[in-house]
mmCIF file of all heavy atoms in Angstrom:
data_model
loop_
_atom_site.group_PDB
_atom_site.id
_atom_site.type_symbol
_atom_site.label_atom_id
_atom_site.label_comp_id
_atom_site.label_asym_id
_atom_site.label_seq_id
_atom_site.Cartn_x
_atom_site.Cartn_y
_atom_site.Cartn_z
ATOM 1 N N LEU A 25 165.208 122.850 103.369
ATOM 2 C CA LEU A 25 165.710 124.252 102.964
ATOM 3 C C LEU A 25 167.125 124.160 102.482
ATOM 4 O O LEU A 25 167.534 124.760 101.504
ATOM 5 C CB LEU A 25 165.596 125.195 104.118
ATOM 6 C CG LEU A 25 164.204 125.530 104.664
ATOM 7 C CD1 LEU A 25 164.278 126.541 105.848
ATOM 8 C CD2 LEU A 25 163.277 126.080 103.592
ATOM 9 N N VAL A 26 168.021 123.475 103.256
ATOM 10 C CA VAL A 26 169.392 123.383 102.954
ATOM 11 C C VAL A 26 169.583 122.630 101.608
ATOM 12 O O VAL A 26 170.432 123.036 100.761
ATOM 13 C CB VAL A 26 170.188 122.609 104.083
ATOM 14 C CG1 VAL A 26 171.593 122.315 103.579
ATOM 15 C CG2 VAL A 26 170.241 123.548 105.353
ATOM 16 N N THR A 27 168.822 121.582 101.365
ATOM 17 C CA THR A 27 168.861 120.904 100.035
ATOM 18 C C THR A 27 168.480 121.876 98.968
ATOM 19 O O THR A 27 169.150 121.926 97.866
ATOM 20 C CB THR A 27 167.904 119.686 100.080
ATOM 21 O OG1 THR A 27 168.361 118.809 101.092
ATOM 22 C CG2 THR A 27 167.966 118.983 98.684
ATOM 23 N N SER A 28 167.428 122.633 99.105
ATOM 24 C CA SER A 28 167.030 123.641 98.022
ATOM 25 C C SER A 28 168.125 124.584 97.822
ATOM 26 O O SER A 28 168.367 124.918 96.655
ATOM 27 C CB SER A 28 165.735 124.331 98.582
ATOM 28 O OG SER A 28 164.675 123.525 98.585
ATOM 29 N N MET A 29 168.842 125.048 98.843
ATOM 30 C CA MET A 29 169.838 126.008 98.626
ATOM 31 C C MET A 29 171.108 125.415 98.080
ATOM 32 O O MET A 29 171.696 125.920 97.163
ATOM 33 C CB MET A 29 170.185 126.712 99.934
ATOM 34 C CG MET A 29 169.088 127.657 100.455
ATOM 35 S SD MET A 29 169.547 128.688 101.813
ATOM 36 C CE MET A 29 169.195 127.638 103.150
ATOM 37 N N LYS A 30 171.562 124.344 98.635
ATOM 38 C CA LYS A 30 172.896 123.739 98.248
ATOM 39 C C LYS A 30 172.775 123.023 96.916
ATOM 40 O O LYS A 30 173.542 123.316 96.010
ATOM 41 C CB LYS A 30 173.298 122.709 99.331
ATOM 42 C CG LYS A 30 174.095 123.285 100.423
ATOM 43 C CD LYS A 30 174.642 122.158 101.283
ATOM 44 C CE LYS A 30 175.574 122.698 102.458
ATOM 45 N NZ LYS A 30 176.176 121.603 103.224
ATOM 46 N N GLU A 31 171.893 122.121 96.805
ATOM 47 C CA GLU A 31 171.914 121.245 95.625
ATOM 48 C C GLU A 31 171.308 121.854 94.417
ATOM 49 O O GLU A 31 171.677 121.601 93.271
ATOM 50 C CB GLU A 31 171.185 119.865 95.931
ATOM 51 C CG GLU A 31 172.030 119.069 96.978
ATOM 52 C CD GLU A 31 171.420 117.699 97.175
ATOM 53 O OE1 GLU A 31 170.616 117.293 96.336
ATOM 54 O OE2 GLU A 31 171.725 117.097 98.243
ATOM 55 N N HIS A 32 170.211 122.731 94.623
ATOM 56 C CA HIS A 32 169.556 123.302 93.507
ATOM 57 C C HIS A 32 170.230 124.619 93.023
ATOM 58 O O HIS A 32 170.264 124.934 91.893
ATOM 59 C CB HIS A 32 168.031 123.511 93.816
ATOM 60 C CG HIS A 32 167.330 122.224 94.092
ATOM 61 N ND1 HIS A 32 166.196 122.196 94.821
ATOM 62 C CD2 HIS A 32 167.575 121.007 93.640
ATOM 63 C CE1 HIS A 32 165.718 120.951 94.890
ATOM 64 N NE2 HIS A 32 166.576 120.226 94.192
ATOM 65 N N GLN A 33 170.640 125.434 94.021
ATOM 66 C CA GLN A 33 171.073 126.806 93.760
ATOM 67 C C GLN A 33 172.641 126.955 93.963
ATOM 68 O O GLN A 33 173.099 128.040 93.651
ATOM 69 C CB GLN A 33 170.249 127.775 94.552
ATOM 70 C CG GLN A 33 168.805 127.813 94.255
ATOM 71 C CD GLN A 33 168.505 128.039 92.790
ATOM 72 O OE1 GLN A 33 167.814 127.318 92.180
ATOM 73 N NE2 GLN A 33 168.990 129.123 92.266
ATOM 74 N N ARG A 34 173.258 125.975 94.583
ATOM 75 C CA ARG A 34 174.709 126.149 94.961
ATOM 76 C C ARG A 34 174.950 127.271 95.847
ATOM 77 O O ARG A 34 175.860 128.112 95.697
ATOM 78 C CB ARG A 34 175.554 126.354 93.651
ATOM 79 C CG ARG A 34 175.246 125.374 92.496
ATOM 80 C CD ARG A 34 175.510 123.977 92.816
ATOM 81 N NE ARG A 34 175.361 123.058 91.667
ATOM 82 C CZ ARG A 34 174.280 122.475 91.327
ATOM 83 N NH1 ARG A 34 173.189 122.658 92.080
ATOM 84 N NH2 ARG A 34 174.221 121.697 90.278
ATOM 85 N N TYR A 35 174.049 127.449 96.887
ATOM 86 C CA TYR A 35 174.134 128.440 97.892
ATOM 87 C C TYR A 35 174.673 127.837 99.256
ATOM 88 O O TYR A 35 174.429 126.655 99.527
ATOM 89 C CB TYR A 35 172.825 129.149 98.214
ATOM 90 C CG TYR A 35 172.185 129.871 97.113
ATOM 91 C CD1 TYR A 35 170.792 130.103 97.160
ATOM 92 C CD2 TYR A 35 172.866 130.343 96.040
ATOM 93 C CE1 TYR A 35 170.146 130.856 96.139
ATOM 94 C CE2 TYR A 35 172.264 130.969 94.965
ATOM 95 C CZ TYR A 35 170.831 131.184 95.087
ATOM 96 O OH TYR A 35 170.232 131.894 94.045
ATOM 97 N N PHE A 36 175.405 128.625 100.006
ATOM 98 C CA PHE A 36 175.836 128.170 101.332
ATOM 99 C C PHE A 36 174.759 128.710 102.338
ATOM 100 O O PHE A 36 174.469 129.870 102.290
ATOM 101 C CB PHE A 36 177.224 128.719 101.672
ATOM 102 C CG PHE A 36 178.302 128.273 100.738
ATOM 103 C CD1 PHE A 36 178.700 129.015 99.637
ATOM 104 C CD2 PHE A 36 178.927 127.010 100.911
ATOM 105 C CE1 PHE A 36 179.631 128.641 98.796
ATOM 106 C CE2 PHE A 36 179.896 126.602 99.993
ATOM 107 C CZ PHE A 36 180.207 127.351 98.941
ATOM 108 N N GLU A 37 174.351 127.846 103.237
ATOM 109 C CA GLU A 37 173.454 128.242 104.296
ATOM 110 C C GLU A 37 174.095 129.089 105.346
ATOM 111 O O GLU A 37 175.267 128.973 105.566
ATOM 112 C CB GLU A 37 172.633 127.102 104.840
ATOM 113 C CG GLU A 37 173.375 126.350 105.948
ATOM 114 C CD GLU A 37 174.125 125.131 105.437
ATOM 115 O OE1 GLU A 37 174.546 125.084 104.292
ATOM 116 O OE2 GLU A 37 174.373 124.212 106.235
ATOM 117 N N VAL A 38 173.357 129.865 106.115
ATOM 118 C CA VAL A 38 173.811 130.760 107.150
ATOM 119 C C VAL A 38 173.090 130.411 108.457
ATOM 120 O O VAL A 38 171.912 130.143 108.440
ATOM 121 C CB VAL A 38 173.532 132.175 106.748
ATOM 122 C CG1 VAL A 38 173.801 133.183 107.841
ATOM 123 C CG2 VAL A 38 174.368 132.611 105.527
ATOM 124 N N ARG A 39 173.873 130.387 109.548
ATOM 125 C CA ARG A 39 173.328 130.052 110.890
ATOM 126 C C ARG A 39 173.750 131.116 111.887
ATOM 127 O O ARG A 39 174.627 131.933 111.702
ATOM 128 C CB ARG A 39 173.869 128.670 111.308
ATOM 129 C CG ARG A 39 173.360 127.593 110.415
ATOM 130 C CD ARG A 39 173.850 126.214 110.822
ATOM 131 N NE ARG A 39 173.518 125.136 109.907
ATOM 132 C CZ ARG A 39 172.397 124.475 109.866
ATOM 133 N NH1 ARG A 39 171.495 124.739 110.888
ATOM 134 N NH2 ARG A 39 172.120 123.639 108.982
ATOM 135 N N ASN A 40 173.077 131.079 113.061
ATOM 136 C CA ASN A 40 173.437 131.962 114.208
ATOM 137 C C ASN A 40 174.402 131.096 115.080
ATOM 138 O O ASN A 40 174.789 129.981 114.782
ATOM 139 C CB ASN A 40 172.267 132.451 114.956
ATOM 140 C CG ASN A 40 171.456 131.379 115.613
ATOM 141 O OD1 ASN A 40 171.924 130.238 115.799
ATOM 142 N ND2 ASN A 40 170.180 131.660 116.040
ATOM 143 N N ASP A 41 174.912 131.735 116.151
ATOM 144 C CA ASP A 41 175.881 131.103 117.044
ATOM 145 C C ASP A 41 175.334 129.922 117.769
ATOM 146 O O ASP A 41 176.082 129.192 118.431
ATOM 147 C CB ASP A 41 176.550 132.063 117.954
ATOM 148 C CG ASP A 41 175.553 132.921 118.773
ATOM 149 O OD1 ASP A 41 174.345 132.590 118.750
ATOM 150 O OD2 ASP A 41 176.007 133.871 119.484
ATOM 151 N N GLN A 42 173.984 129.756 117.720
ATOM 152 C CA GLN A 42 173.349 128.558 118.339
ATOM 153 C C GLN A 42 173.163 127.418 117.327
ATOM 154 O O GLN A 42 172.618 126.325 117.659
ATOM 155 C CB GLN A 42 171.967 128.863 118.905
ATOM 156 C CG GLN A 42 172.054 129.405 120.415
ATOM 157 C CD GLN A 42 172.212 130.876 120.416
ATOM 158 O OE1 GLN A 42 171.599 131.685 119.747
ATOM 159 N NE2 GLN A 42 173.219 131.310 121.287
ATOM 160 N N GLY A 43 173.588 127.719 116.112
ATOM 161 C CA GLY A 43 173.456 126.672 115.098
ATOM 162 C C GLY A 43 172.096 126.666 114.404
ATOM 163 O O GLY A 43 171.849 125.779 113.581
ATOM 164 N N MET A 44 171.261 127.645 114.676
ATOM 165 C CA MET A 44 170.015 127.669 114.052
ATOM 166 C C MET A 44 170.027 128.350 112.668
ATOM 167 O O MET A 44 170.743 129.387 112.464
ATOM 168 C CB MET A 44 168.956 128.428 114.972
ATOM 169 C CG MET A 44 168.685 127.736 116.281
ATOM 170 S SD MET A 44 167.588 128.684 117.294
ATOM 171 C CE MET A 44 166.093 128.706 116.324
ATOM 172 N N LEU A 45 169.245 127.771 111.721
ATOM 173 C CA LEU A 45 169.308 128.290 110.380
ATOM 174 C C LEU A 45 168.661 129.727 110.353
ATOM 175 O O LEU A 45 167.669 129.954 111.012
ATOM 176 C CB LEU A 45 168.478 127.362 109.487
ATOM 177 C CG LEU A 45 168.643 127.443 107.929
ATOM 178 C CD1 LEU A 45 170.104 127.096 107.567
ATOM 179 C CD2 LEU A 45 167.726 126.523 107.233
ATOM 180 N N LEU A 46 169.269 130.572 109.573
ATOM 181 C CA LEU A 46 168.795 131.980 109.380
ATOM 182 C C LEU A 46 168.303 132.125 108.012
ATOM 183 O O LEU A 46 168.726 131.459 107.047
ATOM 184 C CB LEU A 46 169.905 132.959 109.630
ATOM 185 C CG LEU A 46 170.438 133.043 111.097
ATOM 186 C CD1 LEU A 46 171.686 133.938 111.181
ATOM 187 C CD2 LEU A 46 169.448 133.442 112.080
ATOM 188 N N PRO A 47 167.399 133.108 107.800
ATOM 189 C CA PRO A 47 166.759 133.315 106.387
ATOM 190 C C PRO A 47 167.708 134.115 105.458
ATOM 191 O O PRO A 47 167.301 135.115 104.877
ATOM 192 C CB PRO A 47 165.513 134.086 106.696
ATOM 193 C CG PRO A 47 165.806 134.876 107.943
ATOM 194 C CD PRO A 47 166.738 134.143 108.756
ATOM 195 N N HIS A 48 168.933 133.672 105.347
ATOM 196 C CA HIS A 48 169.833 134.281 104.455
ATOM 197 C C HIS A 48 170.694 133.182 103.714
ATOM 198 O O HIS A 48 170.627 132.035 104.134
ATOM 199 C CB HIS A 48 170.888 135.200 105.242
ATOM 200 C CG HIS A 48 170.269 136.017 106.310
ATOM 201 N ND1 HIS A 48 169.430 137.155 105.899
ATOM 202 C CD2 HIS A 48 170.224 136.013 107.653
ATOM 203 C CE1 HIS A 48 168.973 137.709 106.902
ATOM 204 N NE2 HIS A 48 169.452 137.069 108.015
ATOM 205 N N PHE A 49 171.415 133.634 102.670
ATOM 206 C CA PHE A 49 172.263 132.654 102.008
ATOM 207 C C PHE A 49 173.501 133.357 101.517
ATOM 208 O O PHE A 49 173.481 134.598 101.338
ATOM 209 C CB PHE A 49 171.537 131.908 100.934
ATOM 210 C CG PHE A 49 171.045 132.856 99.779
ATOM 211 C CD1 PHE A 49 171.898 133.124 98.683
ATOM 212 C CD2 PHE A 49 169.780 133.374 99.780
ATOM 213 C CE1 PHE A 49 171.470 133.994 97.645
ATOM 214 C CE2 PHE A 49 169.395 134.241 98.821
ATOM 215 C CZ PHE A 49 170.201 134.532 97.708
ATOM 216 N N ILE A 50 174.567 132.673 101.171
ATOM 217 C CA ILE A 50 175.728 133.206 100.594
ATOM 218 C C ILE A 50 176.039 132.463 99.252
ATOM 219 O O ILE A 50 175.878 131.227 99.160
ATOM 220 C CB ILE A 50 176.924 133.056 101.517
ATOM 221 C CG1 ILE A 50 176.839 134.066 102.670
ATOM 222 C CG2 ILE A 50 178.293 133.268 100.833
ATOM 223 C CD1 ILE A 50 177.895 133.975 103.723
ATOM 224 N N SER A 51 176.355 133.284 98.193
ATOM 225 C CA SER A 51 176.674 132.630 96.923
ATOM 226 C C SER A 51 177.810 133.450 96.256
ATOM 227 O O SER A 51 178.229 134.427 96.801
ATOM 228 C CB SER A 51 175.455 132.663 96.070
ATOM 229 O OG SER A 51 175.690 131.994 94.800
ATOM 230 N N ALA A 52 178.246 133.018 95.125
ATOM 231 C CA ALA A 52 179.319 133.648 94.304
ATOM 232 C C ALA A 52 178.825 133.847 92.881
ATOM 233 O O ALA A 52 178.373 132.908 92.240
ATOM 234 C CB ALA A 52 180.558 132.875 94.371
ATOM 235 N N ARG A 53 179.073 135.041 92.349
ATOM 236 C CA ARG A 53 178.741 135.340 90.986
ATOM 237 C C ARG A 53 180.063 135.292 90.187
ATOM 238 O O ARG A 53 181.106 135.420 90.725
ATOM 239 C CB ARG A 53 178.133 136.689 90.782
ATOM 240 C CG ARG A 53 179.072 137.836 90.759
ATOM 241 C CD ARG A 53 178.491 139.196 90.443
ATOM 242 N NE ARG A 53 178.082 139.331 89.107
ATOM 243 C CZ ARG A 53 177.650 140.518 88.587
ATOM 244 N NH1 ARG A 53 177.700 141.635 89.331
ATOM 245 N NH2 ARG A 53 177.295 140.622 87.364
ATOM 246 N N ASN A 54 179.912 135.083 88.877
ATOM 247 C CA ASN A 54 181.108 135.066 88.028
ATOM 248 C C ASN A 54 181.213 136.468 87.453
ATOM 249 O O ASN A 54 180.729 136.768 86.372
ATOM 250 C CB ASN A 54 181.004 134.053 86.915
ATOM 251 C CG ASN A 54 182.205 133.990 86.035
ATOM 252 O OD1 ASN A 54 183.278 134.359 86.473
ATOM 253 N ND2 ASN A 54 182.007 133.583 84.824
ATOM 254 N N GLY A 55 181.857 137.355 88.117
ATOM 255 C CA GLY A 55 182.015 138.701 87.706
ATOM 256 C C GLY A 55 182.401 139.671 88.871
ATOM 257 O O GLY A 55 182.692 139.175 89.916
ATOM 258 N N ASP A 56 182.258 141.018 88.615
ATOM 259 C CA ASP A 56 182.718 141.892 89.649
ATOM 260 C C ASP A 56 181.469 142.430 90.413
ATOM 261 O O ASP A 56 180.396 141.808 90.410
ATOM 262 C CB ASP A 56 183.468 143.157 89.011
ATOM 263 C CG ASP A 56 182.623 143.769 87.899
ATOM 264 O OD1 ASP A 56 181.396 143.576 87.842
ATOM 265 O OD2 ASP A 56 183.208 144.647 87.169
ATOM 266 N N ARG A 57 181.594 143.550 91.102
ATOM 267 C CA ARG A 57 180.527 144.027 91.997
ATOM 268 C C ARG A 57 179.619 144.946 91.279
ATOM 269 O O ARG A 57 178.632 145.451 91.905
ATOM 270 C CB ARG A 57 181.144 144.722 93.220
ATOM 271 C CG ARG A 57 182.171 143.895 93.970
ATOM 272 C CD ARG A 57 182.505 144.467 95.383
ATOM 273 N NE ARG A 57 181.319 144.271 96.243
ATOM 274 C CZ ARG A 57 181.047 143.123 96.886
ATOM 275 N NH1 ARG A 57 181.848 142.041 96.664
ATOM 276 N NH2 ARG A 57 180.020 142.870 97.677
ATOM 277 N N VAL A 58 179.816 145.227 90.036
ATOM 278 C CA VAL A 58 178.961 146.148 89.252
ATOM 279 C C VAL A 58 177.435 145.616 89.161
ATOM 280 O O VAL A 58 177.360 144.404 88.763
ATOM 281 C CB VAL A 58 179.512 146.478 87.882
ATOM 282 C CG1 VAL A 58 178.563 147.260 87.046
ATOM 283 C CG2 VAL A 58 180.823 147.214 88.012
ATOM 284 N N LYS A 59 176.504 146.349 89.512
ATOM 285 C CA LYS A 59 175.140 145.986 89.460
ATOM 286 C C LYS A 59 174.855 144.704 90.362
ATOM 287 O O LYS A 59 173.971 143.853 89.951
ATOM 288 C CB LYS A 59 174.648 145.729 88.068
ATOM 289 C CG LYS A 59 174.744 146.936 87.115
ATOM 290 C CD LYS A 59 173.760 147.916 87.379
ATOM 291 C CE LYS A 59 173.732 149.098 86.392
ATOM 292 N NZ LYS A 59 172.810 150.145 86.755
ATOM 293 N N LEU A 60 175.650 144.520 91.351
ATOM 294 C CA LEU A 60 175.592 143.319 92.174
ATOM 295 C C LEU A 60 174.145 143.174 92.797
ATOM 296 O O LEU A 60 173.647 142.137 93.030
ATOM 297 C CB LEU A 60 176.608 143.299 93.251
ATOM 298 C CG LEU A 60 176.844 141.998 94.038
ATOM 299 C CD1 LEU A 60 177.206 140.894 93.099
ATOM 300 C CD2 LEU A 60 177.868 142.176 95.128
#
């Protein structure tokens, strides 16, 4: 999952305080918040 997110999509993975992977991701767009 992490490879799919990081290497293919350039996303950062998200975990809980126990270090377990959560079904979310963080990314950055080139632009403002309009129609985000």
